[in-house]
Amino acid sequence: GAIIPPMAKKRILAVDDDASICDFYSQSLKLLGYDVETAANARKAKEALTRQKPDLILMDIMMPDQDGISLTRELRADPKTSDVPIIVVSGLADAGTLNDALLFGAVDYVVKPVDVDALQAKMERTFAALEKRKKPS
């Protein structure tokens, strides 16, 4: 029988200024079979995006150089990155912040401390929705 090639690994760019959270993403998401690149701030995230486009971005909201919401808005406005789904990650389950994030184009949000199962479910739901959108109806 024909050998079905495995799905290409999904590339995740995880943006967080907390090194321990970046480590957590690297380890837990790699175990789940994703390719992970981490960025400690908005500037590094942008550098990573110019090198290679990820399939999904995990975006911390509170960062020293530029907050995740304005970065989300910026990436949405740029044709090169406008179609990359962004899940925002916030230490505050603050309705206003999360509303802003969704308003500026995030597809979903996760509240810290991040639960890996919940995160994976949201990521997979996002990928499934994208697949549907790609297929001609």
Side-chain angles (χ1 to χ4, degrees):
I3 294 170
I4 298 166
M7 290 280 293
K9 275 191 177 179
K10 297 280 190 205
R11 288 184 56 81
I12 313 297
L13 174 63
V15 188
D16 201 297
D17 59 319
D18 182 332
S20 64
I21 293 178
C22 284
D23 287 347
F24 161 78
Y25 284 139
S26 292
Q27 289 162 3
S28 56
L29 295 178
K30 275 182 185 140
L31 284 174
L32 294 171
Y34 300 105
D35 243 351
V36 189
E37 182 171 4
T38 58
N41 53 43
R43 184 177 54 79
K44 290 201 169 121
K46 288 180 214 174
E47 283 168 15
L49 284 163
T50 53
R51 284 198 305 278
Q52 195 166 13
K53 199 160 103 169
D55 292 297
L56 183 126
I57 299 171
L58 294 175
M59 178 80 75
D60 183 31
I61 290 181
M62 301 289 286
M63 291 186 290
D65 58 338
Q66 178 182 9
D67 71 276
I69 289 177
S70 71
L71 182 54
T72 296
R73 188 169 62 189
E74 204 175 292
L75 297 179
R76 276 286 155 274
D78 183 337
K80 289 195 288 295
T81 52
S82 62
D83 60 340
V84 179
I86 296 173
I87 295 180
V88 291
V89 182
S90 174
L92 313 159
D94 160 39
T97 306
L98 298 172
N99 264 340
D100 281 352
L102 297 170
L103 194 67
F104 289 134
V107 292
D108 212 333
Y109 60 84
V110 187
V111 177
K112 290 178 183 173
V114 176
D115 174 68
V116 177
D117 297 330
L119 177 60
Q120 185 183 18
K122 289 186 179 203
M123 288 164 61
E124 288 305 327
R125 198 163 64 217
T126 301
F127 290 138
L130 284 180
E131 286 304 316
K132 273 204 206 75
R133 208 179 304 159
K134 271 187 210 141
K135 292 199 181 88
S137 45

